[in-house]
Amino acid sequence: MPPLARRDVRNLATITAAGAIPSLVQLLGPSSTVYVQQNAAGILSNLACIADNKVKIAAAGAIPPLVLLLGPGPSVEVQQFAAGALYLLVHHADNQVTIVAAGAIPPLVLLPRPGSDDLPKEFAARALQLLGRSNAENHAAIAAASASAGVDVLEKMERL
């Protein structure tokens, strides 16, 4: 990831002020290389550390392409940054609705794939925990997706 986009608040504020969020969202698309998608998702993840950016990133349309990046095609690194961005975005209540509406629950449940490292699993489990914590409908959807996939995500969520 480019050094300017790492978690230096001044640099992140400059990136935001320059209006980079919509361009970064476009780079998440299927016409971008895996490397470009990974960097765009990583930068958006870092930008999402700033509270005001959670709304700006969602308003720019980032949530649906981030959910698509959780699927089977991208590399583990792309999935890691996409899951990390969604985990940070889920901390805003309005984003939770958008994340669920974008169909994020099934791919978040399935994200822990054989051979994948622990960081995407952790981001996915924490995002699911936040989605299901105070919303019975989301909790039921998580339970159903877990049962359908034959994985016990609920147990992992309880341990967090």
Side-chain angles (χ1 to χ4, degrees), residues 101-159:
I105 290 176
L108 284 170
V109 167
L110 292 172
L111 189 60
R113 293 194 197 130
S116 66
D117 67 33
D118 288 337
L119 200 52
K121 294 176 195 179
E122 185 77 17
F123 287 142
R126 290 189 181 276
L128 289 166
Q129 179 187 41
L130 290 170
L131 288 171
R133 181 184 305 166
S134 59
N135 186 309
E137 191 174 309
N138 288 350
H139 194 275
I142 294 165
S146 296
S148 174
V151 295
D152 193 359
V153 173
L154 294 175
E155 180 183 327
K156 171 116 176 144
M157 287 169 43
E158 300 296 324
R159 289 183 286 164

Side-chain angles (χ1 to χ4, degrees), residues 46-67:
N46 285 339
L47 290 171
C49 292
I50 299 172
D52 290 345
N53 284 348
K54 289 175 182 18
V55 174
K56 293 175 184 174
I57 292 167
I63 291 172
L66 286 168
V67 171

Side-chain angles (χ1 to χ4, degrees), residues 11-100:
N11 289 346
L12 295 174
T14 301
I15 291 167
T16 302
I21 291 173
S23 296
L24 290 166
V25 171
Q26 288 181 335
L27 294 174
L28 297 173
S31 62
S32 294
T33 66
V34 170
Y35 178 77
V36 170
Q37 290 173 329
Q38 176 183 329
N39 279 287
I43 294 167
L44 287 168
S45 180
N46 285 339
L47 290 171
C49 292
I50 299 172
D52 290 345
N53 284 348
K54 289 175 182 18
V55 174
K56 293 175 184 174
I57 292 167
I63 291 172
L66 286 168
V67 171
L68 288 175
L69 292 177
L70 297 177
S75 69
V76 172
E77 292 80 13
V78 172
Q79 292 171 338
Q80 173 183 320
F81 286 115
L86 289 167
Y87 165 65
L88 291 165
L89 292 171
V90 83
H91 285 82
H92 190 281
D94 291 342
N95 291 348
Q96 290 182 15
V97 173
T98 307
I99 289 168
V100 171

